[in-house]
Amino acid sequence: MKSTFDFGLIGLGVMGRNFILNVADNNFKAYGHDLDDKKVNALKEEGNNLEKIDASTNIETFVNALSMPRKIMLLVPAGKIVDAVIDDLLPLLDKDDIIIDGGNSFFTDTDRRADALADKGIHFFGAGVSGGAKGARLGPSIMPGGNREAYNKVKPIFEAVSAKYKGEPCVAYLGPKSAGNYVKMVHNGIEYGLMQITSEIYDLLKKGGDFTNEQLHQTYAKWNTGRLQSFLVQITSEIFAQNDHLEDGKLIDKILDKAKQKGTGKWTSQNAMDLGIPVPSIDIAVSMRELSALKNERIIAANLYEKPSIEKIDAEKLEKLAEEAMYFSFVITYAQGLSQLADASKEYAYDLDLEIVAKIWRAGCIIRAEILTDIAIAFSVDKDLPNLLVSKQFVDKIRSAVSSARQLVAYGAKNGIPLPGLSNSLTYFDAYTTNKLPLNLIQAQRDYFGSHTYERLDRDGIFHTEWSD
Ligand code: 6PG
């Protein structure tokens, strides 16, 4: 076989199959590989033109079909499988070939793999791909990092297949090493935060305003035409309208309230802790998935404690409060994720341009949202913006939304409705905008019991006091 295929893809699951079909749709010849012959045959059939798209279960046939330097993307589960696939490929590759990991790999794994492969003359880089199965087929947001020259060889393909925002491709080279995987990890952390907030607002509307599924559907649909316009608000609206296919009624009411996770949100939180960057709206979203999993314990505990009877709010009023509180909490969640990216950029020398990050998130990915237009402007005005909360783009909007967040958080506390995403966002805001926090007391305590020393407001230096005197 002639080595004429422009692009190779390993892992023909739903994401891989859709991505490779997207590549072929954009007039690149693409070759797939999977050990499962059913997946290989399904791709050949769907591709419907073996000149443009072909596949094999044999890795040698796959490698030999690709033009040089070979561009091979992996869309396989993160972890050991990525290493196993690289081990299989390695003896078959030539110097300057390129391997792109399109999965949600942990960023330090990407650095390790890139270093090991660089020694062998192979370019390896991570490229986060967001947008789920549909995105992969019709245009995902792609977040590549790594060696810039290697990326430039893949750039025409990625720019063609990516989502477009007003004609601009939602892909850009983000920075060296694992920059792409890191940005995708934080994207997912933000995704967790936004999902938690949308679910709390649903709970509030239902419990506080007796919203039916139809009203919820209408309300989220309406919000999706305003400043809350986003993929997550749009699909939430559609979810409320979905009939159950097994029983009467809407499907949402039959789904078990235990949320699973694959780990990327948790990694975001863990790494934020390592960096010393507070991301409480993301942390709590991870904790809530964990708490939701304790269903059996929750059932027992629910019988031990009475909940306050819920005092209802007028539906129109509640809808307005909810829109503002949701906008507020969404902005705060993006603010936290982006401040983590700003810090990680320094710590890991990624040299990220957060305006570009915001721009490539405007279409294709799960956290695409109208808010990102303002976020991109905020970073274009100030590349080193430490936090969205101090950007002119947001100050007035946040000022006018915060009171609704306060009212709803207080309402939730009074009526026993858990709103941890909203309240963590509000607490973050209140702490971040407080000139003097009570942490002077913590410094005093640390010095009291451990001689850990403290600094003073009124003079420079490090101090210690013999408190027991
Ligand atoms: C995306 C998503 C995707 C992620 C799923 C599942 O950007 O397309 O972030 O990469 O894997 O959303 O994540 P959890 O199973 O952890 O919820």
Side-chain angles (χ1 to χ4, degrees):
M1 186 199 303
K2 282 199 207 129
S3 310
T4 55
F5 284 81
D6 307 302
F7 185 77
L9 195 140
I10 299 184
L12 301 177
V14 187
M15 284 291 285
R17 189 178 72 240
N18 283 351
F19 196 92
I20 196 170
L21 288 166
N22 183 355
V23 172
D25 279 350
N26 282 284
N27 296 320
F28 294 99
K29 292 178 64 178
Y31 205 101
H33 167 67
D34 199 291
L35 294 175
D36 182 343
D37 57 351
K38 281 198 207 80
K39 288 183 183 157
V40 164
N41 292 333
L43 175 68
K44 285 182 179 181
E45 223 166 89
E46 214 175 329
N48 195 28
N49 173 356
L50 293 183
E51 287 284 297
K52 249 172 88 181
I53 191 158
D54 201 351
S56 170
T57 52
N58 184 304
I59 196 157
E60 262 185 87
T61 313
F62 164 79
V63 169
N64 290 333
L66 303 175
S67 60
M68 312 265 271
R70 300 182 182 91
K71 298 156 206 77
I72 300 171
M73 180 146 165
L74 317 183
L75 272 171
V76 298
K80 288 201 178 93
I81 298 184
V82 175
D83 291 308
V85 173
I86 293 172
D87 288 346
D88 288 348
L89 273 175
L90 211 47
L92 308 171
L93 297 184
D94 290 283
K95 193 173 166 291
D96 287 333
D97 282 348
I98 300 163
I99 305 176
I100 307 140
D101 181 5
N104 283 329
S105 286
F106 192 56
F107 69 102
T108 54
D109 285 342
T110 298
D111 289 331
R112 167 179 60 77
R113 289 168 185 142
D115 287 347
L117 287 164
D119 291 346
K120 300 183 167 67
I122 308 291
H123 300 294
F124 178 88
F125 65 86
V129 178
S130 177
K134 227 179 188 175
R137 183 73 183 87
L138 302 172
S141 168
I142 310 176
M143 293 153 245
N147 178 291
R148 194 189 275 270
E149 283 81 56
Y151 171 68
N152 282 341
K153 302 228 162 63
V154 186
K155 187 176 163 186
I157 302 178
F158 276 8
E159 289 196 345
V161 302
S162 73
K164 308 288 176 302
Y165 179 83
K166 298 189 177 160
E168 281 179 59
C170 287
V171 56
Y173 174 78
L174 295 177
K177 302 190 294 173
S178 51
N181 282 123
Y182 195 92
V183 169
K184 176 60 172 41
M185 177 184 80
V186 173
H187 163 286
N188 282 26
I190 295 172
E191 171 185 306
Y192 274 47
L194 303 182
M195 289 167 80
Q196 174 62 28
I197 289 156
T198 30
S199 76
E200 290 175 19
I201 295 287
Y202 151 59
D203 207 23
L204 263 172
L205 295 176
K206 216 173 136 137
K207 291 182 178 152
D210 290 328
F211 278 54
T212 62
N213 284 322
E214 177 54 28
Q215 286 170 304
L216 289 164
H217 162 65
Q218 299 289 349
T219 305
Y220 276 79
K222 186 161 100 193
W223 287 343
N224 194 45
T225 61
R227 62 179 174 173
L228 284 175
Q229 188 285 321
S230 57
F231 173 71
L232 286 169
V233 169
Q234 176 213 320
I235 65 162
T236 306
S237 144
E238 288 162 19
I239 285 167
F240 293 124
Q242 177 72 47
N243 288 327
D244 187 0
H245 46 290
L246 299 176
E247 303 278 346
D248 284 347
K250 298 294 177 197
L251 183 57
I252 185 69
D253 297 324
K254 313 282 171 46
I255 296 178
L256 181 65
D257 52 329
K258 278 163 77 167
K260 302 263 162 80
Q261 52 182 318
K262 296 204 195 75
T264 44
K266 184 183 75 180
W267 292 345
T268 308
S269 277
Q270 285 174 325
N271 188 254
M273 288 274 178
D274 288 343
L275 294 173
I277 294 295
V279 293
S281 304
I282 297 172
D283 300 337
I284 199 66
V286 178
S287 297
M288 284 306 288
R289 291 195 188 194
E290 290 157 0
L291 213 148
S292 80
L294 308 176
K295 176 86 177 172
N296 295 342
E297 289 176 48
R298 285 193 285 124
I299 293 171
I300 295 166
N303 287 326
L304 296 177
Y305 299 96
E306 237 174 81
K307 290 261 182 217
S309 67
I310 293 178
E311 122 209 8
K312 302 287 173 183
I313 310 184
D314 166 69
E316 210 175 304
K317 184 179 167 202
L318 181 57
E319 190 185 308
K320 185 170 181 298
L321 289 171
E323 192 274 340
E324 290 184 341
M326 187 142 133
Y327 176 79
F328 172 86
S329 308
F330 269 22
V331 173
I332 301 279
T333 305
Y334 282 105
Q336 292 171 18
L338 286 157
S339 79
Q340 177 169 350
L341 283 182
D343 196 76
S345 178
K346 290 185 205 125
E347 180 70 24
Y348 305 125
Y350 289 147
D351 198 19
L352 296 174
D353 181 331
L354 295 183
E355 181 190 354
I356 291 179
V357 171
K359 282 186 166 174
I360 66 167
W361 284 350
R362 288 176 305 177
C365 67
I366 304 296
I367 64 167
R368 60 186 185 257
E370 180 57 35
I371 290 171
L372 284 159
T373 306
D374 276 338
I375 296 179
I377 295 171
F379 284 105
S380 79
V381 173
D382 180 0
K383 291 252 170 267
D384 299 317
L385 187 67
N387 194 300
L388 291 180
L389 285 173
V390 296
S391 157
K392 276 205 184 107
Q393 207 60 29
F394 284 102
V395 171
D396 287 341
K397 291 172 180 138
I398 290 294
R399 271 188 193 143
S400 75
V402 62
S403 133
S404 297
R406 286 196 200 293
Q407 285 182 61
L408 286 183
V409 168
Y411 172 81
K414 198 165 166 223
N415 291 278
I417 303 172
L419 303 173
L422 295 192
S423 61
N424 268 18
S425 300
L426 181 61
T427 301
Y428 175 88
F429 170 81
D430 280 334
Y432 188 77
T433 56
T434 293
N435 179 341
K436 198 159 181 291
L437 291 168
L439 287 278
N440 50 336
L441 178 58
I442 291 177
Q443 282 298 78
Q445 290 165 332
R446 291 178 69 244
D447 192 55
Y448 188 112
F449 62 66
S451 303
H452 294 301
T453 74
Y454 57 89
E455 290 167 282
R456 297 178 58 102
L457 287 165
D458 56 353
R459 61 190 75 191
D460 288 339
I462 304 291
F463 296 85
H464 167 63
T465 295
E466 289 304 319
W467 297 87
S468 44
D469 272 357

